Every structure is written in structure tokens, then in C-alpha cells.
Amino acid sequence: ARVLPQIADEFRALADDLRDLSPPEDLEDQFGVTLDRIDRVAGQLDRAAEEARAGDREGFNTVLQESAAAEATQRFFRSNGFDECD
């Protein structure tokens, strides 16, 4: 549970960096949706950490199941030619 807030911070940093980009016009809407999803995943990771600290296994699992948006975010970036970089 200790690493989840750190991962959430990484997601927030990623979203902040991406907000500095100007996507192609035909991808603007989907890009905005993707940024919203990244923000949502960061919040869900924070919630999962809270549930874990409270010892609520069911709550923790529920939050993780809700974070399926992370998969959609990854698919968007991969399908549009974004590569992982440092």
C-alpha cells in the first residue's frame, strides 16, 4: 500500500507532462478523455492505498477493479504511436 501513492504521483506527473503537448486536431477529444482517465486512475490508486491502510480488502479490490480505465489509457497511447520514454 505504501507504493500506491507514489504510483499515483507518477500518473499525475505523466498527465501534467502530457498537458504540455499539442495533440493533432483529430486526436484532441480522445487525448482529453485520456488525460481525464489518467487523473481518475491516480485518484483510484490513492483510494486503494487508503482502503489497504484501513485493512479493507474488499474495498481495496473494488477500487482496483474500477481502475480498468488505466487499460483503456494504455491502449490509446499504444494505438497512436506513443512509446514509453524516460
Side-chain angles (χ1 to χ4, degrees):
R2 283 182 272 159
V3 299
L4 292 178
Q6 294 169 344
I7 296 169
D9 289 343
E10 291 294 325
F11 270 92
R12 282 192 261 298
L14 170 65
D16 289 344
D17 289 345
L18 291 173
R19 282 187 179 89
D20 292 337
L21 300 177
S22 298
E25 190 174 313
D26 61 328
L27 295 177
E28 284 179 352
D29 291 341
Q30 186 61 41
F31 192 77
V33 167
T34 299
L35 291 175
D36 290 343
R37 286 179 177 160
I38 293 171
D39 290 333
R40 188 175 333 128
V41 168
Q44 289 169 328
L45 288 169
D46 288 333
R47 275 185 46 220
E50 290 171 15
E51 298 291 351
R53 279 192 295 272
D56 185 349
R57 181 176 290 201
E58 184 177 328
F60 175 80
N61 287 330
T62 298
V63 172
L64 292 182
Q65 289 171 356
E66 292 170 355
S67 68
E71 290 181 39
T73 300
Q74 291 174 352
R75 280 193 305 272
F76 169 77
F77 282 111
R78 282 193 303 264
S79 69
N80 287 288
F82 289 91
D83 292 319
E84 185 176 333
C85 57
D86 297 310

